[in-house]
Amino acid sequence: MKMIWKTLMKLSLAPSFLWDKLWAPVWKRAMKQCGKGVYLRPMLSDIKGLENLSIGDGTSIPKGSTFYCTEAPLTIGRKVIFGPNPTIVTGDHRIDIIGKYIIDVTVDEKLPKNDASVVIEDDVWCGANVTILKGVTIGHGSVIAAGAVVTQSFPPYSIIGGVPAKLIKMRFTEEQAKENDMLLYGK
């Protein structure tokens, strides 16, 4: 009897998986750039600004992703993995106009400082429920702890976490980082 319930549970997941399989190629073509072997669940995610979204080869974007890159680009490198429910936002609302509700401020009224690109370099692991905000660059080979809110940039091979996120430690020594770079990137 338990086996029947397990089978039924797995079958219940099939429609959403197939729906994503059908629509993923359409979403990938609408992106600024999409590499080969990208895993994407677009119908179970909230992605805005596809024309400003670039994703590198072999990256995995899970269901439940929230990516808002409407006025500034979001660039995700190669071989990046995300835990469940990542959020990345490349802009803010303008909040300094007197006599106007925040929601009523138009895109034309935004200032250049209200939007800034986000870059996640190659080989980054973002844990579950990570939030990355405008103007941030995450260096290659970094790890972001689950639940972190990233408001500043970090160098390659950083292990970061917290609210707001801070450097916890470096993943490799300087010599190990150079060796890893040589093996992976030839530099």
Side-chain angles (χ1 to χ4, degrees), residues 117-129:
S117 62
V118 171
V119 177
I120 301 172
E121 295 180 353
D122 299 344
D123 186 36
V124 172
W125 173 23
C126 299
N129 301 304

Side-chain angles (χ1 to χ4, degrees), residues 73-121:
L74 167 56
T75 304
I76 301 171
R78 295 179 296 127
K79 304 279 187 173
V80 174
I81 55 174
F82 292 92
N85 305 308
T87 299
I88 304 173
V89 182
T90 65
D92 278 338
H93 294 283
R94 187 166 176 192
I95 61 169
D96 62 344
I97 298 178
I98 297 171
K100 197 166 202 178
Y101 294 106
I102 295 169
I103 197 169
D104 293 334
V105 176
T106 66
V107 172
D108 292 337
E109 293 174 301
K110 288 181 85 172
L111 301 172
K113 69 180 183 178
N114 296 133
D115 298 289
S117 62
V118 171
V119 177
I120 301 172
E121 295 180 353

